[in-house]
Amino acid sequence: MIKVDNLQKVYQTNGKSIVALENIDLEITQGEIFGIIGYSGAGKSTLIRCFNMLETPTSGNIIIDNQDITRLSTTQLREKRKEIGMIFQHFNLLSARTVRGNIAYPLEIAGMKKADINKRVDELIHLVGLTNQADSYPAQLSGGQKQRVGIARAIANNPKVLLCDEATSALDPKTTLSILELLKDINRRLGLTMVLITHEMEVIKNICDRVAVIDQGQIAELGTVLQLFSQPKTKIAHEFLKQVTHVEVPEEILANFASKDSATHKLLQLSFLGETTSNPVISDMIKTHDIDINILHGQINRIQDTPYGTLVMTVEGAPENISNALKYLKENNIRIEVLTNGL
């Protein structure tokens, strides 16, 4: 559906060249929910705006549905954009129009007949759950309701691709989850290809099939969300994972543990994915490697339909036994983060 080849974007500012994107290669398949995560200034917003040519790439190609949009004329691009919907962080609704009027706007621009517009708007209002707010104005809506209007407006012309630019960043956590559920429902119903940019790993965890981690204008890591959680390869990927997996250990425990011998005492955070969450790995480790553990914290969440657990514990024993125990955990596909080794 979307293929990006060697994309580069360079800005000229005060006689200086600023590289926003460099050597970007991506393939996004039909019906996929694809996430792009990065810190502010990493280039993610520039990248997604290149997908509908709101930003013109300096070089490279962007092929959407077998058509290179970087080579289209102004008229051709205007038509192509009808196939690419976009929702924004700050909603961008027309304050003088009702919910119905906002959703109808792109259909009016497209020249659709009034009767067909009314029918389509009714369908969309029902789809996004705003039946009781159809005649309300944006000022009368909550943030989540405004974003639902933005989603309905973005898909009004039956696009093939939906771009989501920090679509949940302005929302509280509960509302964010409801919007993500709506996007997943739309994806399932319509088979719509979605590209989300975000700086929140919670969003990636809940909705995306694959994810690209972008850093300083380049793709630092790319893979399925499960791969990112189970086998992160880069420092920046580890940093983002801490948003949803890291447990804050009380300072008094860290201080007490830091005074112990690092060869015989370790404080660890373990991450379990899929079937390892239900296997008695820790029990078997204790039995076979002659070590003592003390569990400080544990929890199980889900990455879409896959269980994902974290466990914080201390390990004490002979150095060789601890080394063998950690090797055993890795052999069982458990990711280990040493929080502190002691002295």
Side-chain angles (χ1 to χ4, degrees):
M1 172 51 73
I2 301 174
K3 185 176 182 181
V4 181
D5 287 325
N6 198 27
L7 189 70
Q8 185 178 51
K9 176 63 179 179
V10 180
Y11 293 102
Q12 300 296 329
T13 305
N14 297 325
K16 296 182 179 179
S17 296
I18 299 175
V19 179
L21 297 172
E22 187 173 18
N23 302 325
I24 301 293
D25 293 304
L26 285 175
E27 287 196 39
I28 301 172
T29 60
Q30 169 66 42
E32 184 175 22
I33 303 179
F34 188 90
I36 300 172
I37 190 168
Y39 292 121
S40 296
K44 59 186 188 297
S45 290
T46 301
L47 177 56
I48 202 171
R49 288 169 64 86
C50 285
F51 286 178
N52 58 7
M53 296 295 286
L54 291 178
E55 291 284 355
T56 303
T58 303
S59 61
N61 305 97
I62 302 172
I63 300 168
I64 298 181
D65 197 25
N66 298 316
Q67 195 169 24
D68 189 345
I69 65 171
T70 65
R71 299 181 180 274
L72 298 181
S73 67
T74 301
T75 301
Q76 290 172 324
L77 182 59
R78 187 180 300 117
E79 286 300 309
K80 189 66 177 179
R81 281 176 173 154
K82 294 178 182 178
E83 301 177 6
I84 308 170
M86 190 166 188
I87 57 177
F88 304 89
Q89 177 180 358
H90 297 297
F91 320 127
N92 292 357
L93 302 182
L94 301 171
S95 60
R97 281 182 170 239
T98 63
V99 167
R100 179 177 293 277
N102 269 278
I103 298 172
Y105 185 68
L107 301 174
E108 295 169 2
I109 297 297
M112 185 180 287
K113 293 180 181 179
K114 187 172 182 179
D116 293 333
I117 289 176
N118 290 335
K119 181 181 178 181
R120 178 62 175 155
V121 169
D122 286 341
E123 292 172 353
L124 291 165
I125 286 175
H126 177 73
L127 178 64
V128 300
L130 290 175
T131 303
N132 295 331
Q133 289 79 32
D135 297 316
S136 298
Y137 289 89
Q140 299 170 302
L141 302 177
S142 67
Q145 290 169 336
K146 290 176 183 177
Q147 194 57 285
R148 287 172 182 268
V149 179
I151 292 169
R153 181 183 59 186
I155 64 173
N157 277 312
N158 291 305
K160 297 178 180 179
V161 175
L162 180 63
L163 307 178
C164 307
D165 187 358
E166 296 278 11
T168 60
S169 294
L171 306 176
D172 63 74
K174 183 177 179 180
T175 305
T176 290
L177 288 176
S178 72
I179 294 298
L180 295 179
E181 284 299 320
L182 174 60
L183 290 173
K184 283 195 288 186
D185 182 57
I186 291 171
N187 171 259
R188 286 191 295 264
R189 291 190 189 208
L190 306 180
L192 190 60
T193 304
M194 296 183 179
V195 183
L196 290 79
I197 67 165
T198 183
H199 61 275
E200 299 172 301
M201 185 56 76
E202 193 71 33
V203 171
I204 299 295
K205 182 190 80 171
N206 276 289
I207 192 173
C208 294
D209 301 307
R210 289 192 301 140
V211 58
V213 182
I214 189 168
D215 185 33
Q216 297 181 357
Q218 296 183 313
I219 301 297
E221 195 158 341
L222 173 66
T224 68
V225 175
L226 293 179
Q227 286 171 339
L228 184 68
F229 271 77
S230 61
Q231 297 176 325
K233 298 179 178 64
T234 58
K235 180 181 177 182
I236 188 169
H238 279 278
E239 290 175 356
F240 277 116
L241 284 178
K242 286 182 180 180
Q243 292 181 4
V244 291
T245 65
H246 189 67
V247 178
E248 292 295 332
V249 180
E251 288 295 329
E252 57 268 26
I253 292 179
L254 290 174
N256 177 61
F257 205 80
S259 64
K260 298 182 181 294
D261 184 351
S262 63
T264 57
H265 295 75
K266 294 187 184 298
L267 179 61
L268 308 174
Q269 178 172 309
L270 310 182
S271 298
F272 305 76
L273 187 65
E275 64 180 19
T276 60
T277 59
S278 57
N279 293 339
V281 178
I282 301 301
S283 175
D284 291 345
M285 180 187 69
I286 296 170
K287 294 175 184 177
T288 57
H289 293 91
D290 191 25
I291 57 171
D292 294 319
I293 72 164
N294 181 30
I295 294 175
L296 303 178
H297 176 87
Q299 63 181 5
I300 293 181
N301 292 307
R302 301 190 78 83
I303 303 173
Q304 296 187 15
D305 296 324
T306 303
Y308 182 83
T310 56
L311 188 69
V312 176
M313 67 182 192
T314 63
V315 177
E316 299 180 20
E320 183 178 359
N321 292 348
I322 291 179
S323 177
N324 289 333
L326 298 187
K327 181 180 178 182
Y328 172 80
L329 293 176
K330 291 178 181 178
E331 290 172 349
N332 280 274
N333 299 315
I334 294 173
R335 188 164 63 87
I336 304 170
E337 180 182 356
V338 179
L339 301 181
T340 179
N341 282 307
L343 287 173

